[in-house]
Amino acid sequence: MTRFALVLAVSAMMAGGACAQPAAGDPAWPTRPVRLIAPFPPASTVDVVSRFLGQKLSARLGQQFVVDNRVGASGNIGADAIAKASPDGYTLGVVTSSTQAVAVTLSANLPYDPLKDFTPIAMLANSPYVLVVSTGLPAKSVPELVALARRKPGALNYGSAGPASLAHLAGALFAPSTDISLTHVPYKSSAQSVVDLISGRLDMQFATIAPTLANIRAGQLRALAVTGRQRVEALPDVPTMDAAGVPGYEAVLWFALVGPAGLPASIATRLNREALEVLNSGEMKAALEQQGFVSDGGPPQAIVEQTRRDIAKWREVIAKTGIKAE
């Protein structure tokens, strides 16, 4: 299923649930439309997740949840808009590991504090990467790739969508975790790097699963491992990095529903309950799994804990490698 197909599936599911009755709860909220900020462009992964969630919450709560794409600065502009909003329940947002964990490790002047300036509501999902290699590379598993890299220090290269992108950091974490040396090749987009990967001009990449599935299934790329804690439905035969011999390795793009700091607890609690019910629906799980996402609903504290872990992890990687944002 392509991302476009997921958008169609979301629309169809919304049509089926449009007549659902609003959930019982505090009648004082919501009494007017709610703005749901997505810090990335339309049709992006964050946008698709935000629109699905917003449509389902609209049906359940009886008010429109209107997605507002506030883009720029790798998502930081949108995240800052959420943080600076009035904590009245009428401005919420979907943030990611990029805006909440990576950004703070790269900038000393970030206009928001990812732990102090937000009210965590619900972890939504995570999207692991898939480690893919050129089919011309003589490595059919992670151990074989590591052995090859050790025989040729620095000779193997990996692409990403740009310096300090999460895919870049995934490679920067992989190299020291396996005691190898790799050369990073930044591109303007992952679509460009995949072209070079298929042609053999690039050796490997930590790729987003959804747009890479067709190339993997066509035999144009070889998938060695996924970077989450569990296998993904879309690639059932591909092991996790941990199972492939890199203990504890994890690099995922996660999504969470948040509000500005000071959001009333009654609203946050109600939203957590509603969001988890949406996530636990078979429709949502199927749509996410087909795109390589993993439904990851949980309590608000899970967002705080994941943010702290990721800040510590990426701060260490960035300090060791000297990676800088451009």
Side-chain angles (χ1 to χ4, degrees):
M1 181 186 290
T2 63
R3 181 174 295 164
F4 178 69
L6 176 57
V7 174
L8 292 180
V10 165
S11 300
M13 284 183 272
M14 177 52 194
C19 296
Q21 295 299 312
D26 183 359
W29 180 91
T31 59
R32 54 187 171 85
V34 177
R35 181 171 61 142
L36 186 61
I37 294 177
F40 294 91
S44 66
T45 301
V46 176
D47 177 72
V48 171
V49 172
S50 299
R51 289 183 187 280
F52 180 89
L53 180 66
Q55 288 167 347
K56 285 297 187 181
L57 290 177
S58 295
R60 296 180 68 86
L61 297 177
Q63 288 290 340
Q64 285 295 309
F65 279 65
V66 181
V67 174
D68 179 5
N69 297 96
R70 298 290 295 274
V71 305
S74 300
N76 297 348
I77 289 176
D80 188 47
I82 301 167
K84 300 295 194 296
S86 174
D88 56 8
Y90 291 97
T91 298
L92 308 170
V94 174
V95 294
T96 73
S97 45
S98 293
T99 63
Q100 305 306 96
V102 175
V104 72
T105 65
L106 291 169
S107 174
N109 301 309
L110 198 66
Y112 58 88
D113 186 307
L115 293 171
K116 296 179 180 179
D117 293 342
F118 299 87
T119 297
I121 296 172
M123 189 66 84
L124 300 175
N126 71 72
S127 176
Y129 291 99
V130 56
L131 172 58
V132 291
V133 299
S134 168
T135 55
L137 202 68
K140 297 183 178 180
S141 67
V142 171
E144 289 182 8
L145 177 65
V146 170
L148 180 63
R150 286 176 179 168
R151 290 196 300 269
K152 300 178 179 181
L156 297 187
N157 55 36
Y158 72 99
S160 79
S165 63
L166 196 56
H168 178 193
L169 295 180
L173 176 64
F174 176 63
S177 297
T178 52
D179 193 28
I180 61 175
S181 176
L182 300 170
T183 298
H184 174 236
V185 182
Y187 288 78
K188 291 184 178 179
S189 72
S190 56
Q192 293 176 332
S193 61
V194 166
V195 172
D196 280 356
L197 192 60
I198 292 173
S199 69
R201 289 189 292 270
L202 191 66
D203 295 317
M204 55 185 282
Q205 179 165 303
F206 287 87
T208 306
I209 292 176
T212 316
L213 279 174
N215 301 121
I216 295 171
R217 290 169 177 167
Q220 297 172 313
L221 297 174
R222 183 181 300 131
L224 302 187
V226 293
T227 64
R229 296 186 300 270
Q230 62 193 72
R231 294 189 184 218
V232 300
E233 186 70 21
L235 294 168
D237 297 327
V238 179
T240 64
M241 290 285 281
D242 188 275
V246 190
Y249 183 98
E250 181 185 18
V252 300
L253 178 66
W254 49 260
F255 313 90
L257 178 64
V258 300
L263 186 70
S266 59
I267 295 177
T269 299
R270 185 178 181 189
L271 279 167
N272 175 268
R273 182 178 66 250
E274 299 290 349
L276 294 188
E277 289 189 11
V278 171
L279 290 172
N280 287 330
S281 71
E283 299 164 313
M284 179 68 160
K285 287 184 177 180
L288 290 176
E289 287 173 354
Q290 285 298 314
Q291 288 290 297
F293 303 153
V294 178
S295 180
D296 197 20
Q301 186 60 26
I303 303 171
V304 177
E305 293 171 355
Q306 185 71 57
T307 300
R308 285 176 174 158
R309 286 197 301 269
D310 278 6
I311 287 174
K313 175 169 59 183
W314 298 129
R315 180 168 282 152
E316 181 179 359
V317 169
I318 289 168
K320 287 182 177 178
T321 59
I323 291 174
K324 297 183 183 298
E326 292 187 359

